[in-house]
Amino acid sequence: MSETRRLHELNRVAWDQAAARYTEWHDATVAFINEGKANLEPAEREHLGDLRAVQRAIHLQCASGKDTLSLLNLGAAEAVGVDISAVHIKNARALVEATRKNAHFVQADVLDTPASLDGTADLVYTGKGALTWLHDIAGWASVVARLLAPGGRLFVHDGHPAIWLFDPQATTVQLVKRPRYFQLVETSTSWPAQYVGDVGNAPMVERSWTLGEVVTAVARAGLVVERLTEHAEDYWDGFPHLADSEKGLIPLTFSLLARKPHM
Ligand SMILES: C[S@@+](CC[C@H](N)C(=O)[O-])C[C@H]1O[C@@H](n2cnc3c(N)ncnc32)[C@H](O)[C@@H]1O
């Protein structure tokens, strides 16, 4: 087994534990989707625009499907979600059954996304805690490129790699003790209390990809980068004690839009 696959397998086991918490949120998620709501951040909506022209959206690392079905509530005709966690995919299928939405879900490592989906996506959507779980960014980008139809778009909205440099508990912007930006790999055995809390202690391994690595992987896979935006807002309240006067000083998230050219 390659090192990438070994790390993805560790993460799969940890995510199965975390996904059990999402199972508890099933009823609330069904209500959210049935009310026609969409769990997308303002920056995501602004970058994506109207989704009514999207025939098929593929959501990579879709978790239990809330954001996947949100794409349908924003106008996409069909959505396909891919995730490595069997528990997440079971939750997502239960969500489809309860909401009768036009979506289906595939359990796979993103690197093994089935070839039957190749060339079928007007939109490949991912992010909000996605890329750090992957240990082969070039492999990820080549999967995105094969899934997209000519003219189709990739949209990523994810944590900015600079966040790892700053102390998440501080009230002012402070560097961590030994800041490291390049080739940062972090192992942990617990989840943030404000996220899923105490669900198990399987080890998980994250890798922070620099913006340069992400954009270069996308460009080398043959996509044309149309927009890269850095935002001072996050989607997870990762710096909860930061004084209002400090907010806006550092980038917390980024958005990337790229297009597969017509032949
Ligand atoms: C923070 S969640 C993303 C949540 C997502 N933004 C949402 O709510 O729709 C990260 C997801 O990545 C999945 N994941 C981690 N490694 C993966 C891999 N190698 N292939 C596919 N999915 C993976 C996890 O199971 C988890 O569902």
Side-chain angles (χ1 to χ4, degrees):
M1 192 189 280
S2 71
E3 183 62 0
T4 293
R5 298 301 180 152
R6 188 183 73 78
L7 297 172
H8 285 195
E9 177 57 17
L10 285 177
N11 290 342
R12 182 190 66 74
V13 174
W15 271 106
D16 271 352
Q17 292 184 340
R21 183 73 78 220
Y22 285 63
T23 312
E24 296 167 17
W25 300 334
H26 170 82
D27 290 350
T29 310
V30 170
F32 182 91
I33 293 299
N34 279 342
E35 286 162 20
K37 294 180 180 167
N39 193 39
L40 271 71
E41 298 295 311
E44 295 186 279
R45 292 170 190 244
E46 191 265 314
H47 281 73
L48 281 169
D50 193 344
L51 293 186
R52 280 175 296 183
V54 172
Q55 287 307 307
R56 175 180 277 177
I58 298 182
H59 181 189
L60 298 178
Q61 297 177 252
C62 64
S64 291
K66 182 177 184 180
D67 293 8
T68 322
L69 269 56
S70 294
L71 298 173
L72 300 177
N73 282 351
L74 289 173
E78 184 200 9
V80 180
V82 179
D83 201 279
I84 200 167
S85 159
V87 179
H88 267 317
I89 292 300
K90 192 170 172 222
N91 291 341
R93 288 179 179 151
L95 182 62
V96 168
E97 200 170 316
T99 57
R100 303 268 161 225
K101 292 284 184 183
N102 188 18
H104 69 269
F105 289 90
V106 178
Q107 189 220 334
D109 186 321
V110 73
L111 300 177
D112 300 325
T113 303
S116 55
L117 295 171
D118 286 2
T120 67
D122 307 303
L123 172 67
V124 170
Y125 169 84
T126 192
K128 287 190 280 185
L131 297 186
T132 57
W133 300 102
L134 305 179
H135 292 268
D136 177 1
I137 201 74
W140 164 81
S142 71
V143 170
V144 171
R146 71 174 167 79
L147 294 175
L148 283 170
R153 295 182 297 166
L154 162 69
F155 179 66
V156 185
H157 177 77
D158 218 336
H160 195 292
I163 57 173
W164 298 79
L165 301 175
F166 301 104
D167 180 352
Q169 299 307 326
T171 54
T172 57
V173 171
Q174 306 262 349
L175 288 176
V176 293
K177 219 176 208 156
R178 197 158 179 273
R180 178 170 184 183
Y181 186 65
F182 299 104
Q183 299 191 343
L184 178 69
V185 177
E186 287 233 330
T187 302
S188 57
T189 52
S190 64
W191 298 90
Q194 77 272 26
Y195 180 40
V196 288
D198 186 10
V199 287
N201 57 4
M204 55 197 127
V205 188
E206 288 185 84
R207 161 79 195 241
S208 173
W209 298 102
T210 69
L211 276 191
E213 287 168 331
V214 175
V215 172
T216 300
V218 165
R220 285 197 175 145
L223 305 187
V224 177
V225 175
E226 295 190 336
R227 194 170 169 194
L228 175 64
T229 318
E230 291 155 285
H231 311 281
E233 299 77 32
D234 68 12
Y235 50 85
W236 72 97
D237 199 19
F239 293 81
H241 311 298
L242 213 53
D244 283 349
S245 56
E246 298 287 297
K247 288 180 180 156
L249 298 181
I250 55 173
L252 300 183
T253 50
F254 72 93
S255 298
L256 172 63
L257 258 180
R259 195 176 292 274
K260 181 167 175 167
H262 290 277
M263 299 301 152

Short mmCIF file of all heavy atoms in Angstrom, two decimals, residues 8 15 59 61-63 67 83-85 88 108-110 127-129 133-134 195, ligand 1:
data_model
loop_
_atom_site.label_atom_id
_atom_site.label_comp_id
_atom_site.label_asym_id
_atom_site.label_seq_id
_atom_site.Cartn_x
_atom_site.Cartn_y
_atom_site.Cartn_z
N HIS A 8 -4.88 7.74 3.83
CA HIS A 8 -6.32 7.85 3.52
C HIS A 8 -7.12 6.79 4.28
O HIS A 8 -8.25 7.04 4.70
CB HIS A 8 -6.56 7.71 2.01
CG HIS A 8 -6.16 8.93 1.23
ND1 HIS A 8 -6.54 9.14 -0.08
CD2 HIS A 8 -5.40 10.01 1.58
CE1 HIS A 8 -6.05 10.30 -0.49
NE2 HIS A 8 -5.35 10.84 0.48
N TRP A 15 -13.05 9.13 10.06
CA TRP A 15 -14.27 9.79 9.55
C TRP A 15 -15.52 8.94 9.77
O TRP A 15 -16.61 9.48 9.95
CB TRP A 15 -14.10 10.18 8.08
CG TRP A 15 -13.51 11.55 8.01
CD1 TRP A 15 -12.22 11.90 7.67
CD2 TRP A 15 -14.17 12.78 8.33
NE1 TRP A 15 -12.07 13.25 7.78
CE2 TRP A 15 -13.24 13.82 8.17
CE3 TRP A 15 -15.46 13.10 8.75
CZ2 TRP A 15 -13.55 15.15 8.41
CZ3 TRP A 15 -15.77 14.43 8.99
CH2 TRP A 15 -14.83 15.44 8.82
N HIS A 59 -20.10 16.33 -6.12
CA HIS A 59 -19.58 16.89 -4.87
C HIS A 59 -18.57 15.90 -4.30
O HIS A 59 -18.94 14.82 -3.84
CB HIS A 59 -20.76 17.11 -3.89
CG HIS A 59 -20.35 17.71 -2.59
ND1 HIS A 59 -21.21 17.82 -1.53
CD2 HIS A 59 -19.16 18.23 -2.18
CE1 HIS A 59 -20.57 18.39 -0.51
NE2 HIS A 59 -19.34 18.64 -0.88
N GLN A 61 -15.95 14.58 -1.55
CA GLN A 61 -15.88 14.64 -0.07
C GLN A 61 -17.16 15.26 0.49
O GLN A 61 -17.14 16.25 1.22
CB GLN A 61 -14.62 15.38 0.37
CG GLN A 61 -13.35 14.65 -0.08
CD GLN A 61 -12.09 15.37 0.27
OE1 GLN A 61 -11.43 15.92 -0.60
NE2 GLN A 61 -11.74 15.40 1.54
N CYS A 62 -18.26 14.60 0.16
CA CYS A 62 -19.60 15.16 0.37
C CYS A 62 -20.14 14.94 1.78
O CYS A 62 -21.24 15.39 2.08
CB CYS A 62 -20.55 14.53 -0.63
SG CYS A 62 -20.73 12.74 -0.39
N ALA A 63 -19.42 14.24 2.63
CA ALA A 63 -19.91 13.93 3.99
C ALA A 63 -21.30 13.30 3.89
O ALA A 63 -21.53 12.43 3.04
CB ALA A 63 -19.86 15.17 4.88
N ASP A 67 -24.68 19.40 1.96
CA ASP A 67 -24.27 20.41 0.98
C ASP A 67 -24.55 19.93 -0.44
O ASP A 67 -24.84 20.73 -1.33
CB ASP A 67 -22.79 20.76 1.16
CG ASP A 67 -22.53 21.45 2.49
OD1 ASP A 67 -23.46 21.52 3.32
OD2 ASP A 67 -21.41 21.91 2.71
N ASP A 83 -17.71 10.08 -1.21
CA ASP A 83 -17.03 10.20 0.09
C ASP A 83 -16.42 8.85 0.46
O ASP A 83 -16.97 7.80 0.12
CB ASP A 83 -18.00 10.66 1.18
CG ASP A 83 -17.26 11.26 2.37
OD1 ASP A 83 -16.78 10.49 3.22
OD2 ASP A 83 -17.16 12.51 2.43
N ILE A 84 -15.34 8.88 1.20
CA ILE A 84 -14.63 7.65 1.58
C ILE A 84 -15.33 6.93 2.73
O ILE A 84 -15.14 5.72 2.93
CB ILE A 84 -13.16 7.97 1.96
CG1 ILE A 84 -12.29 6.72 1.87
CG2 ILE A 84 -13.06 8.63 3.33
CD1 ILE A 84 -10.79 7.00 1.92
N SER A 85 -16.16 7.64 3.50
CA SER A 85 -16.75 7.05 4.71
C SER A 85 -18.07 6.34 4.40
O SER A 85 -19.03 6.96 3.93
CB SER A 85 -16.99 8.15 5.75
OG SER A 85 -17.95 7.73 6.69
N HIS A 88 -20.93 7.99 6.34
CA HIS A 88 -21.42 9.21 5.68
C HIS A 88 -22.33 8.85 4.49
O HIS A 88 -23.38 9.46 4.29
CB HIS A 88 -20.25 10.05 5.18
CG HIS A 88 -19.78 11.10 6.16
ND1 HIS A 88 -20.64 11.90 6.88
CD2 HIS A 88 -18.53 11.50 6.49
CE1 HIS A 88 -19.94 12.76 7.63
NE2 HIS A 88 -18.66 12.53 7.42
N ALA A 108 -16.24 5.99 -2.07
CA ALA A 108 -14.92 5.76 -2.68
C ALA A 108 -13.93 6.77 -2.14
O ALA A 108 -14.31 7.90 -1.80
CB ALA A 108 -15.00 5.91 -4.20
N ASP A 109 -12.67 6.35 -2.10
CA ASP A 109 -11.59 7.34 -1.97
C ASP A 109 -11.75 8.25 -3.18
O ASP A 109 -11.99 7.79 -4.30
CB ASP A 109 -10.25 6.60 -2.01
CG ASP A 109 -9.06 7.51 -1.74
OD1 ASP A 109 -9.06 8.67 -2.21
OD2 ASP A 109 -8.12 7.05 -1.07
N VAL A 110 -11.59 9.54 -2.97
CA VAL A 110 -11.75 10.48 -4.08
C VAL A 110 -10.83 10.11 -5.25
O VAL A 110 -11.19 10.29 -6.42
CB VAL A 110 -11.51 11.92 -3.57
CG1 VAL A 110 -10.06 12.22 -3.31
CG2 VAL A 110 -12.08 12.94 -4.49
N GLY A 127 -14.88 21.23 -0.81
CA GLY A 127 -14.28 22.17 0.13
C GLY A 127 -14.86 22.09 1.52
O GLY A 127 -15.38 21.07 1.93
N LYS A 128 -14.74 23.21 2.25
CA LYS A 128 -15.16 23.33 3.64
C LYS A 128 -14.63 22.17 4.48
O LYS A 128 -15.39 21.40 5.07
CB LYS A 128 -16.68 23.48 3.73
CG LYS A 128 -17.11 24.88 3.25
CD LYS A 128 -18.56 25.20 3.52
CE LYS A 128 -19.45 24.57 2.48
NZ LYS A 128 -20.86 24.94 2.63
N GLY A 129 -13.33 22.04 4.45
CA GLY A 129 -12.68 20.99 5.23
C GLY A 129 -12.38 19.76 4.39
O GLY A 129 -12.48 18.64 4.90
N TRP A 133 -7.47 16.55 3.99
CA TRP A 133 -7.54 15.10 4.24
C TRP A 133 -6.85 14.30 3.15
O TRP A 133 -6.71 13.08 3.27
CB TRP A 133 -9.00 14.65 4.40
CG TRP A 133 -9.63 15.37 5.53
CD1 TRP A 133 -10.49 16.43 5.46
CD2 TRP A 133 -9.40 15.14 6.93
NE1 TRP A 133 -10.80 16.87 6.72
CE2 TRP A 133 -10.15 16.10 7.64
CE3 TRP A 133 -8.63 14.21 7.63
CZ2 TRP A 133 -10.15 16.14 9.03
CZ3 TRP A 133 -8.64 14.26 9.02
CH2 TRP A 133 -9.39 15.22 9.71
N LEU A 134 -6.47 14.98 2.07
CA LEU A 134 -5.88 14.29 0.93
C LEU A 134 -4.36 14.40 0.97
O LEU A 134 -3.81 15.44 1.34
CB LEU A 134 -6.42 14.89 -0.37
CG LEU A 134 -7.96 14.90 -0.47
CD1 LEU A 134 -8.41 15.52 -1.77
CD2 LEU A 134 -8.53 13.49 -0.29
N TYR A 195 -17.28 20.99 16.83
CA TYR A 195 -17.64 20.28 15.59
C TYR A 195 -18.40 19.00 15.95
O TYR A 195 -19.61 19.04 16.15
CB TYR A 195 -16.37 20.02 14.76
CG TYR A 195 -16.60 19.30 13.44
CD1 TYR A 195 -17.72 19.59 12.65
CD2 TYR A 195 -15.72 18.33 13.00
CE1 TYR A 195 -17.94 18.92 11.47
CE2 TYR A 195 -15.93 17.66 11.80
CZ TYR A 195 -17.04 17.96 11.05
OH TYR A 195 -17.27 17.28 9.87
C1 LIG B 1 -15.03 18.19 6.75
S1 LIG B 1 -15.76 16.94 5.77
C2 LIG B 1 -16.30 17.87 4.38
C3 LIG B 1 -17.63 18.37 4.66
C4 LIG B 1 -18.29 18.93 3.45
N1 LIG B 1 -17.83 20.24 3.22
C5 LIG B 1 -19.79 18.90 3.60
O1 LIG B 1 -20.29 19.04 4.71
O2 LIG B 1 -20.44 18.69 2.62
C6 LIG B 1 -14.43 16.05 5.01
C7 LIG B 1 -14.95 14.83 4.28
O3 LIG B 1 -13.90 14.27 3.52
C8 LIG B 1 -14.08 12.87 3.52
N2 LIG B 1 -12.81 12.28 3.09
C9 LIG B 1 -11.63 12.29 3.76
N3 LIG B 1 -10.68 11.69 3.01
C10 LIG B 1 -11.26 11.31 1.85
C11 LIG B 1 -10.80 10.64 0.68
N4 LIG B 1 -9.53 10.24 0.56
N5 LIG B 1 -11.67 10.40 -0.32
C12 LIG B 1 -12.99 10.78 -0.20
N6 LIG B 1 -13.48 11.40 0.89
C13 LIG B 1 -12.63 11.68 1.90
C14 LIG B 1 -14.53 12.56 4.92
O4 LIG B 1 -15.15 11.32 5.06
C15 LIG B 1 -15.45 13.74 5.22
O5 LIG B 1 -16.77 13.45 4.90
#
